Amino acid sequence: MAQTAQAQIQDMIERASRLGDDVLASEIRAFAASRQFGLVFEHNRPERMRLYGKAVSAGDVVQVLPERGKKEGAASKLLWLVDAICGSTASLTAYRTNSYNENDEEPRQANVDDLVAVAEYDQPIYAGLRETGRVERGGDKPYQVVINGENYHALESLLFCYAGKVDCIYIDPPYNSGAKDWKYNNDYVDGSDEYRHSKWLAMMERRLKLAKKLLNPASSVLIVAIDEKEYLRLGLLLEQLFPSCGSEMITTVISAKGVARAGQFSRVEEYLFFVRIGEAEIGLGADNMLDNTRNSKEKLGKDVDWLGMRRREPSAVRGARKDQFYPVFVDSETGFIKSIGDSIADNVERNSVPCPEGCDAVWPLRKNGTEGIWGITPSTARRDLSKGYIRSSVTQRKGMRNITIKYLPEGTVNAIESGSIRIVGRNEDGSVICSYRVEKGVIPKRVWNKKSHNAETHGSLLIGALLPERKFSYPKSLYAVEDALSFVIRNNPNALVLDFFSGSGTTAHAVMRLNHQDGGHRRCICVTNNEVSEVEEKELTKQGYRHGDPEWEHFGICEYITKPRIRAAITGRTPDGDPIKGDYKFTDEFPMADGFEENAVFFDLTYQNPDAVELGAAFEEVAPLLWLRAGARGRMIGHEERGFAVADTYAVLFDYSCVREFVGSVRSKPALSCVFIVTDDAGRFASVKAELGDLECVRLYESYLRSFKIAAEDAVR
Ligand SMILES: C[S@@+](CC[C@H](N)C(=O)[O-])C[C@H]1O[C@@H](n2cnc3c(N)ncnc32)[C@H](O)[C@@H]1O
């Protein structure tokens, strides 16, 4: 069998080592390290990101925005280093990167308002989050999260919160169609760009490497949607990045009508890569996803167990529990339960209790004839009797009628009410006959053809119902994303899902639907940038606006579509406050106006100046990251509090002199999932950690943002 180049080189290294030539072996190793095998592209093609919203300061690398009303051009691509800022004037010198010395201009001055900071890979940046709104209808459930920002930096920040903890990542990246559907270094990538595949791969590789660090290595799934433009290259990239994982490609029909092109096949489909990490498996489905030849069948499993209502343990004697000694009256003829009597005080003789005519009183008597207690109180017994969850069982023994009272324990009652046990009939006395439901799922096929996956009807039109008059290009069908996720997280009601190319927020919407179906607490983090379409960009530029202006940002995807969509889905109201028209369909049908009992919080990704970092300021910017790490539930500690602060799920020690009080407060709140200790002193951190035992303790540097420094390229290598 032919060897791969890598295997051949490994062979050569081993042979050189066997011959004792360590110098040759290390030379071959160095040579191999300098080569690229497999998918070949320009990994290091620099990717520069504009940090709109960052206050420009001395030391920043910047670009000078075009004059208002003018388009971007070669001049606005030049990089400058800010030497000094005096008032509103910045002194700039040409900034030369190692790889591209494109700026040969003389030093110049510019108005600070005309500058935008640019992140280069050799510069550290300090990212944080700023809350821009929330919607709360979910009680103490965890929050769904939407982040407006560059996903590369957002992923880096999320590593602090969720490294190795994400159960499923679903992404639908730009397809690199050649039709200006995405930007690299702030420039649209179109069909004439010779490096378009290299740029796309470099962009994807950087983000997928971070995604890999976020996914739970024990069991998680990465789902990537793609079409014919990049599916081959994406397949290879995934194979290289996830070499030991199972990977499958689904072909999915998104519009049976098709897009016809002369001389070609009509395009009706897209693809979904499912990469299974660790022990992850694809779950069974309700149907086979291709046709209706095999659908899931519900089978009835074993009958439920009825338990004797009298408590059996030796200590269960009359008086051991309040309210649990009372008569159950049964019909003298039929033996069926007629009613439940009241509990009697410990000093009352049971035979003194009057019995309704035509009934016998059954008391909780132990085998030896002494008085015991029932397992439930009279009020619960009456409620259960009315629902058929209590019955009598009559037997004849040695000519004597023996009546036992039976009941369904609380767990069984809950399972009936939630539907996992099915009532299949009633006995003559009205008590239920029920069996466990066994859903016999179907192994899904690799080709999906479902009307519910139509991107126009259940993507674009659905957004039109939630956000009348607002348009978003190419959303996925809500039900298509729901189906894809359900194969991975249906059986994990607390799953953490991430979509870092979230566009209109379909993934979070689908996660909320899955929660609606089974009462789950799954949550989704959606990250998307705030770009406007090319047409809108031209129009806004003509009106004299620039990216970064509030008037421009208002129309960006995240502000205009994603955040309002999630708000509308939860509240059931359009942005104008009208009830959303129409019903959800397929698996779970209900009016969209009902909304969801969920919470959501919206953030902007922010960039801080190193000066603030040195001053030890800016806790507010990292505060949401601590709250996210602690599970995104309950109160957020939003600003530095005196000494320390304790919220529902986490606590922060700001001032070590309060350590005693802090430890006491933390110990009194067993629901805390982690604590953050602000100290530069490793010894102090270790001593608090030792005192708090198993509780997760995280150290933060006193200059907070230093804990969140993103060293960009270094971090992903
Ligand atoms: C194809 S769309 C996703 C559509 C989404 N699945 C839906 O149903 O609405 C890709 C989205 O990724 C966003 N995006 C592209 N590059 C990004 C980046 N570097 N950081 C954050 N978002 C980005 C774009 O704004 C676009 O909305």
Side-chain angles (χ1 to χ4, degrees):
M1 200 165 69
Q3 263 188 324
T4 64
Q6 268 164 308
Q8 279 174 1
I9 287 174
Q10 191 52 40
D11 244 23
M12 282 159 68
I13 294 170
E14 278 165 21
R15 262 187 285 146
S17 297
R18 274 201 302 276
L19 293 171
D21 196 339
D22 289 339
V23 177
L24 179 61
S26 75
E27 274 176 14
I28 302 173
R29 235 179 250 120
F31 167 78
S34 69
R35 301 284 106 186
Q36 217 188 313
F37 301 98
L39 192 59
V40 178
F41 63 99
E42 293 195 45
H43 299 258
N44 295 320
R45 180 157 273 281
E47 188 184 350
R48 278 177 214 127
M49 296 152 217
R50 284 186 172 180
L51 313 181
Y52 291 105
K54 178 182 184 304
V56 171
S57 63
D60 278 353
V61 175
V62 297
Q63 289 177 329
V64 182
L65 294 169
E67 228 177 280
R68 288 191 179 273
K70 300 249 167 79
K71 287 196 303 195
E72 299 259 355
S76 58
K77 291 195 184 109
L78 298 178
L79 294 177
W80 301 89
L81 183 68
V82 180
D83 285 333
I85 294 183
C86 186
S88 59
T89 308
S91 305
L92 311 176
T93 49
Y95 181 76
R96 289 143 205 259
T97 61
N98 291 336
S99 40
Y100 287 79
N101 292 328
E102 58 277 82
N103 192 354
D104 290 327
E105 304 279 316
E106 292 300 314
R108 59 168 288 191
Q109 294 197 317
N111 190 310
V112 178
D113 288 346
D114 291 334
L115 304 180
V116 58
V118 174
E120 277 279 328
Y121 285 114
D122 50 2
Q123 289 176 288
I125 63 155
Y126 303 92
L129 293 176
R130 186 184 304 128
E131 185 178 332
T132 57
R134 55 172 66 199
V135 42
E136 293 174 322
R137 282 194 73 201
D140 63 357
K141 278 173 119 179
Y143 285 63
Q144 310 295 338
V145 174
V146 178
I147 300 175
N148 168 2
E150 159 56 50
N151 57 12
Y152 181 80
H153 295 143
L155 287 170
E156 284 274 15
S157 298
L158 289 173
L159 276 177
F160 168 78
C161 316
Y162 301 125
K165 291 192 180 154
V166 176
D167 299 295
C168 177
I169 293 183
Y170 174 101
I171 49 168
D172 172 20
Y175 286 178
N176 205 16
S177 64
K180 300 194 173 179
D181 62 345
W182 71 293
K183 283 184 172 179
Y184 194 85
N185 292 342
N186 201 42
D187 259 344
Y188 281 113
V189 179
D190 64 20
S192 66
D193 187 331
E194 291 175 46
Y195 289 101
R196 69 180 189 278
H197 298 302
S198 230
K199 285 178 179 174
W200 189 85
L201 283 165
M203 181 277 290
M204 288 297 289
E205 186 192 40
R206 290 188 182 115
R207 285 151 182 84
L208 286 170
K209 279 183 172 173
L210 293 172
K212 186 174 175 181
K213 292 185 188 179
L214 286 162
L215 285 162
N216 179 352
S219 176
S220 57
V221 174
L222 167 69
I223 308 172
V224 190
I226 199 69
D227 79 355
E228 70 279 4
K229 308 284 185 316
E230 294 292 358
Y231 80 114
L232 293 171
R233 276 171 283 268
L234 175 67
L236 280 175
L237 182 65
L238 291 174
E239 207 170 272
Q240 280 182 202
L241 292 176
F242 298 89
S244 53
C245 301
S247 173
E248 288 173 279
M249 192 187 80
I250 305 303
T251 300
T252 170
V253 176
I254 54 154
S255 164
K257 199 166 69 175
V259 179
R261 298 185 185 104
Q264 296 179 25
F265 294 107
S266 174
R267 175 187 187 268
V268 295
E269 89 293 9
E270 286 187 351
Y271 310 99
L272 285 169
F273 281 96
F274 278 72
V275 181
R276 300 185 311 276
I277 293 150
E279 303 288 306
E281 288 184 352
I282 299 300
L284 300 177
D287 64 47
N288 71 18
M289 303 300 284
L290 177 61
D291 49 39
N292 284 327
T293 53
R294 286 210 58 209
N295 287 335
S296 131
K297 284 198 185 65
E298 183 190 296
K299 280 190 122 184
L300 291 177
K302 73 177 187 74
D303 290 348
V304 296
D305 293 327
W306 289 82
L307 302 185
M309 200 165 92
R310 184 176 64 76
R311 290 182 77 111
R312 303 275 143 171
E313 70 273 20
S315 59
V317 292
R318 181 176 174 184
R321 279 177 188 246
K322 203 166 159 273
D323 279 350
Q324 286 180 214
F325 188 72
Y326 53 89
V328 174
F329 299 115
V330 298
D331 189 297
S332 308
E333 252 178 50
T334 59
F336 299 160
I337 300 175
K338 281 285 240 189
S339 62
I340 308 289
D342 293 325
S343 61
I344 57 171
D346 290 348
N347 57 358
V348 175
E349 161 56 36
R350 74 171 191 271
N351 290 325
S352 68
V353 174
C355 186
E357 213 181 304
C359 287
D360 296 322
V362 181
W363 293 89
L365 299 183
R366 295 156 28 121
K367 283 216 173 103
N368 61 7
T370 57
E371 294 174 335
I373 49 173
W374 297 121
I376 51 179
T377 60
S379 58
T380 309
R382 284 186 197 116
R383 185 201 63 196
D384 286 0
L385 180 66
S386 71
K387 294 189 169 185
Y389 300 158
I390 295 186
R391 67 178 166 87
S392 56
S393 158
V394 184
T395 50
Q396 295 287 340
R397 214 160 141 227
K398 295 185 185 155
M400 293 275 290
R401 201 162 78 134
N402 187 34
I403 302 177
T404 318
I405 306 299
K406 303 212 158 183
Y407 83 127
L408 294 175
E410 195 185 347
T412 309
V413 168
N414 289 345
I416 294 174
E417 312 265 300
S418 73
S420 55
I421 292 179
R422 170 168 283 218
I423 297 175
V424 291
R426 298 253 168 196
N427 293 303
E428 226 186 307
D429 62 356
S431 61
V432 294
I433 305 171
C434 42
S435 307
Y436 288 91
R437 291 170 65 163
V438 185
E439 192 80 38
K440 216 172 153 336
V442 176
I443 295 180
K445 299 197 174 185
R446 284 187 187 168
V447 177
W448 296 359
N449 184 13
K450 296 185 74 98
K451 283 203 175 92
S452 59
H453 291 191
N454 185 293
E456 195 189 348
T457 338
H458 306 300
S460 306
L461 294 182
L462 187 121
I463 289 184
L466 290 147
L467 309 174
E469 316 290 317
R470 304 192 188 188
K471 290 204 164 46
F472 176 76
S473 311
Y474 310 121
K476 289 274 172 278
S477 150
L478 173 63
Y479 309 108
V481 179
E482 182 183 321
D483 281 346
L485 293 177
S486 95
F487 289 121
V488 179
I489 56 164
R490 155 89 50 218
N491 296 327
N492 180 356
N494 295 307
L496 175 59
V497 179
L498 169 65
D499 181 347
F500 54 89
F501 284 106
S502 67
S504 67
T506 311
T507 311
H509 201 159
V511 164
M512 293 195 291
R513 268 183 59 81
L514 289 173
N515 283 345
H516 188 266
Q517 288 157 35
D518 63 4
H521 283 201
R522 300 171 188 86
R523 61 201 172 100
C524 180
I525 300 174
C526 280
V527 182
T528 195
N529 58 19
N530 203 33
E531 66 189 29
V532 297
S533 70
E534 198 198 1
V535 177
E536 286 164 335
E537 189 170 320
K538 280 191 184 142
E539 185 50 38
L540 287 163
T541 306
K542 217 160 74 188
Q543 292 172 21
Y545 296 120
R546 291 192 302 216
H547 207 325
D549 292 341
E551 294 82 355
W552 179 301
E553 296 301 320
H554 172 73
F555 290 106
I557 287 168
C558 195
E559 296 303 325
Y560 199 58
I561 304 289
T562 327
K563 293 178 183 177
R565 182 221 181 127
I566 299 304
R567 182 180 289 281
I570 293 176
T571 58
R573 295 280 181 277
T574 67
D576 285 339
D578 299 324
I580 297 167
K581 294 192 185 112
D583 294 333
Y584 288 112
K585 299 209 165 72
F586 310 107
T587 321
D588 187 15
E589 306 192 340
F590 59 98
M592 287 200 264
D594 284 0
F596 292 94
E597 288 180 1
E598 294 276 356
N599 304 314
V601 59
F602 309 130
F603 295 113
D604 280 353
L605 191 75
T606 59
Y607 300 98
Q608 290 302 302
N609 277 324
D611 298 357
V613 180
E614 299 307 335
L615 287 171
F619 176 75
E620 282 85 345
E621 306 286 320
V622 303
L625 291 167
L626 311 191
W627 176 79
L628 286 176
R629 179 165 177 155
R633 282 177 38 225
R635 179 170 89 89
M636 186 190 299
I637 300 167
H639 57 271
E640 189 167 334
E641 295 180 24
R642 193 170 296 160
F644 67 92
V646 182
D648 306 69
T649 58
Y650 69 111
V652 186
L653 174 62
F654 295 103
D655 177 354
Y656 194 79
S657 68
C658 301
V659 67
R660 295 271 42 92
E661 218 186 318
F662 174 74
V663 168
S665 301
V666 167
R667 285 201 179 129
S668 69
K669 284 201 84 172
L672 298 188
S673 65
C674 66
V675 299
F676 299 92
I677 296 149
V678 181
T679 177
D680 287 346
D681 184 328
R684 285 181 165 185
F685 174 71
S687 83
V688 186
K689 191 168 156 51
E691 282 208 55
L692 293 177
D694 288 343
L695 194 59
E696 188 194 5
C697 294
V698 183
R699 181 172 157 201
L700 297 178
Y701 290 99
E702 286 171 24
S703 51
Y704 300 116
L705 289 177
R706 200 164 291 298
S707 314
F708 300 90
K709 177 171 161 178
I710 296 176
E713 190 83 311
D714 284 352
V716 292
R717 288 281 154 210

